[in-house]
Amino acid sequence: MPSVSRLTKCASIIILVSTILFASLPVWAQDKVQLSVDASKPGPKIDRNLFGQFAEHLGYGVYEGIWVGPDSRIPNTRGIRNDVVAALKALKVPNVRWPGGCFADEYHWRKGIGARAVTLNPNWGGVIEPNTFGTHEFMDFIDQIGSQAYLSVNVGSGTPQEAAEWLEYLTASQPTTLVKERAANGHPAPYKIPLLGIGNESWDCGGNMTPEYYLRQLTIYSRFVRNYNPAQRDTDQMQKIAVGPGGGEARWTEWTETIMKAWEKRQWSWDMQGLSMHNYTVINWGNKFASVGFGEKEYAQILKETLKMEDLVTKHSAIMDKYDPQKKIALVVDEWGSWYAPSPGSNPGFLVQQNSIRDAILAALNLNIFARHADRVRGSNIAQMINVLQAMIMTDKEKMVLTPTYHVFKMYVPFQDATFIPVTFNAGTYTNGDITLPHVDAIAGKDTSGKLWLELTNVDPNNAVEIETSIAGLNVKSASGETLSAPKVDSVNTFDAPNAVTPKPASVKVQGGKLTIKLDPKSVTVISIS
Ligand code: AHR
């Protein structure tokens, strides 16, 4: 039996080879793509944690985006806005990473329980941090949306003792002083913490540490920051995620090497279950692209840039394979997404940007990369959930709008915990100036009830494409689904026109057991097949 990872790699190679084969064909010859799905060769599970979110105390991400306070005229439950909760529930968000980001390495949890301390947020605009949204409010929020906690503990400016006490406060059940304090603050039962990040970008905003220095911190925090929840002792054990690389250059490969090598030779007293990776889609940090009001050239440039995720994941997975051939350690891409220039008139420290159909395509391409590497990539968190960077949701006081990226995440819900099914297809090409990209991308998965799902992305902003699908061993009887497209490369949803970019029924034809799907230009389509 070939291994699962080999099959996945095989599928990627076929796509790559076909991309090269079709590179010289004119557009008319590419408007039909043959795609075959072989459900008899299932791959790994596409972990639902691949669809995680990230909510940092940054700009309007938490305050206004989630928290309006119980006295607000914006409808809320215990201070958490109801419209946002309803929208996020529909995404079945598997986990929310909190409280940062760079913020996490300056966060002191005691200031956010009981009587709150008013502090500052020096990373993000130097504004007042009221700490009204603290531990209990976060746990209430994830409970309201039906999600789980991915906490990042403070390694940069905190201590192992502070982090250990936070986890005791959250998870212990015996009547310690901290547990009594938690009960007095309204939560007698221990909380579940399934994911724990040990620091954030410790090579940069998290303390500018060398890999060796961070490794020492990791071994100490991993040893002492314990989860005491009896329900997580034998099953559902907390996964500890170490800080990982932030790019593909030598500095980052050395980081991954150092952590993984030490892990292979670890003693009983420490362990980790995941290594994080951060990678934003940004061109020119000093003069970033605009998030709206751009043309096809910038559309193509950004999508070319985002596809570098494939190389990065491949590179760091290969290092991890050397020390962990059994793939025990997950690669968790816990910050990714587009990073553009701040929207005009906004506070530059608040990282506010618009979200267009380009971001929807970008999201689909990245999610497909993660799915094709599902044997190693078992978590990801898009940055960020609300009002910050590539957000799902934007709010303006009582108003709320869902972004094109939100719709992609909603359409991908059936892929959560689905089994990866290999697809082969001639990707074709889309060219703009000196940029050539695959015309089409696709993944398939079988959901937990056994239903087959297909995702298709048409990268080309000008030409539709027809996908002729053959499914080994299945005489297709019916298929239906949704498609997300837009008239312009920079089409967005606004508070005045919230449904400019919204899913519509997909154009699907089933005839004689064969399935044909028409993809509009610049579109993301998800269909179920039976
Ligand atoms: O997401 C914004 C910031 O980007 C995060 O705080 C930090 O981890 C990264 O550099």
Side-chain angles (χ1 to χ4, degrees):
M1 267 270 291
S3 75
V4 151
S5 61
R6 273 183 131 174
L7 288 172
T8 318
K9 272 181 206 139
C10 234
S12 313
I13 290 164
I14 291 167
I15 294 163
L16 200 76
V17 169
S18 55
T19 304
I20 296 160
L21 278 177
F22 280 69
S24 56
L25 293 184
V27 167
W28 61 263
Q30 298 173 20
D31 60 5
K32 269 205 171 108
V33 164
Q34 308 294 327
L35 181 141
S36 47
V37 181
D38 192 350
S40 69
K41 296 194 179 74
K45 184 172 88 170
I46 302 170
D47 198 305
R48 67 183 204 283
N49 282 322
L50 279 187
F51 303 90
Q53 300 283 337
F54 173 33
E56 179 165 16
H57 286 234
L58 194 176
Y60 299 114
V62 168
Y63 297 108
E64 182 179 310
I66 298 171
W67 180 257
V68 288
D71 300 330
S72 171
R73 62 189 165 79
I74 299 173
N76 68 83
T77 303
R78 295 179 294 279
I80 294 164
R81 55 190 298 168
N82 294 344
D83 52 355
V84 164
V85 166
L88 291 172
K89 256 185 171 172
L91 293 190
K92 298 196 188 304
V93 177
N95 72 77
V96 181
R97 182 169 178 257
W98 178 84
C102 298
F103 180 83
D105 278 304
E106 293 190 74
Y107 183 63
H108 300 284
W109 67 274
R110 291 208 68 99
K111 301 191 175 183
I113 58 160
R116 308 305 160 102
V118 176
T119 58
L120 294 171
N121 189 339
N123 279 291
W124 305 117
V127 295
I128 290 270
E129 167 55 59
N131 281 302
T132 40
F133 189 85
T135 299
H136 290 273
E137 291 74 22
F138 172 68
M139 297 307 291
D140 188 14
F141 165 63
I142 55 165
D143 193 45
Q144 288 191 35
I145 66 168
S147 189
Q148 295 205 299
Y150 177 2
L151 287 190
S152 288
V153 296
N154 181 344
V155 172
S157 68
T159 61
Q161 182 183 359
E162 182 187 12
E165 286 179 357
W166 196 13
L167 266 285
E168 184 192 322
Y169 178 86
L170 280 158
T171 64
S173 57
Q174 291 139 301
T176 67
T177 304
L178 281 169
V179 167
K180 286 184 192 161
E181 191 178 0
R182 183 188 70 218
N185 285 333
H187 209 276
Y191 289 111
K192 270 192 166 182
I193 306 294
L195 295 161
L196 188 84
I198 300 183
N200 170 76
E201 298 194 353
S202 304
W203 29 260
D204 192 4
C205 71
N208 206 359
M209 300 173 191
T210 63
E212 292 75 20
Y213 185 84
Y214 173 72
L215 180 62
R216 294 276 66 84
Q217 307 302 310
L218 172 64
T219 54
I220 295 167
Y221 276 74
S222 161
R223 169 86 183 115
F224 298 116
V225 184
R226 296 185 168 99
N227 186 318
Y228 296 97
N229 190 326
Q232 292 191 265
R233 196 166 295 148
D234 303 318
T235 53
D236 285 342
Q237 281 167 356
M238 184 172 77
Q239 311 284 298
K240 293 177 183 172
I241 318 292
V243 168
E249 301 83 41
R251 170 185 178 203
W252 308 117
T253 54
E254 187 200 337
W255 188 282
T256 302
E257 282 277 352
T258 307
I259 307 296
M260 290 304 299
K261 198 175 184 171
W263 176 80
E264 190 196 23
K265 301 208 175 338
R266 74 197 176 282
Q267 291 172 340
W268 66 269
S269 55
W270 78 279
D271 205 351
M272 64 185 206
Q273 289 72 37
L275 184 74
S276 104
M277 183 170 99
H278 289 182
N279 179 45
Y280 285 97
T281 300
V282 60
I283 298 177
N284 193 352
W285 283 98
N287 185 20
K288 299 186 200 77
F289 277 33
S291 58
V292 69
F294 56 86
E296 188 177 337
K297 186 171 170 216
E298 292 78 13
Y299 170 88
Q301 283 175 306
I302 286 290
L303 295 184
K304 180 180 176 203
E305 184 66 25
T306 214
L307 286 172
K308 290 183 182 166
M309 181 68 90
E310 169 63 37
D311 287 348
L312 217 54
V313 168
T314 304
K315 192 172 199 166
H316 289 283
S317 296
I319 301 173
M320 295 174 82
D321 285 348
K322 275 201 294 180
Y323 303 105
D324 173 28
Q326 292 175 292
K327 298 186 192 294
K328 288 185 178 163
I329 306 293
L331 185 60
V332 181
V333 189
D334 55 14
E335 285 189 30
W336 66 275
S338 57
W339 192 322
Y340 303 123
S343 293
S346 67
N347 181 334
F350 285 8
L351 310 188
V352 179
Q353 62 187 41
Q354 247 302 358
N355 193 297
S356 68
I357 187 72
R358 177 176 67 180
D359 296 295
I361 307 274
L362 182 155
L365 293 174
N366 279 280
L367 291 172
N368 291 359
I369 291 170
F370 302 151
R372 282 194 279 269
H373 287 272
D375 54 350
R376 177 67 81 181
V377 182
R378 299 197 287 271
S380 104
N381 299 75
I382 188 166
Q384 297 195 6
M385 191 159 59
I386 307 161
N387 291 330
V388 177
L389 298 176
Q390 190 175 348
M392 307 295 114
I393 296 175
M394 296 172 88
T395 63
D396 180 12
K397 301 187 184 68
E398 73 287 352
K399 291 186 248 172
M400 181 189 86
V401 68
L402 307 176
T403 68
T405 303
Y406 172 93
H407 293 302
V408 170
F409 270 71
K410 182 140 181 268
M411 288 161 73
Y412 270 74
V413 165
F415 288 98
Q416 293 195 15
D417 282 343
T419 302
F420 182 85
I421 302 293
V423 289
T424 49
F425 56 99
N426 48 347
T429 56
Y430 152 63
T431 300
N432 179 268
D434 58 0
I435 294 180
T436 296
L437 301 171
H439 187 163
V440 170
D441 192 27
I443 59 159
K446 234 181 203 181
D447 72 16
T448 40
S449 74
K451 189 181 262 185
L452 186 62
W453 293 84
L454 189 58
E455 188 285 333
L456 300 149
T457 304
N458 182 3
V459 174
D460 190 323
N462 307 310
N463 296 292
V465 61
E466 237 177 48
I467 311 287
E468 291 184 340
T469 311
S470 66
I471 300 163
L474 184 72
N475 191 23
V476 179
K477 289 189 209 70
S478 68
S480 63
E482 289 189 317
T483 190
L484 186 74
S485 182
K488 298 191 291 153
V489 284
D490 69 337
S491 292
V492 297
N493 291 332
T494 62
F495 296 112
D496 295 332
N499 295 320
V501 189
T502 199
K504 305 200 169 36
S507 170
V508 176
K509 200 171 73 190
V510 178
Q511 213 167 36
K514 288 257 174 220
L515 167 65
T516 308
I517 307 139
K518 185 171 164 252
L519 307 181
D520 286 339
K522 48 182 161 357
S523 62
V524 176
T525 303
V526 173
I527 58 165
S528 69
I529 304 164
S530 46

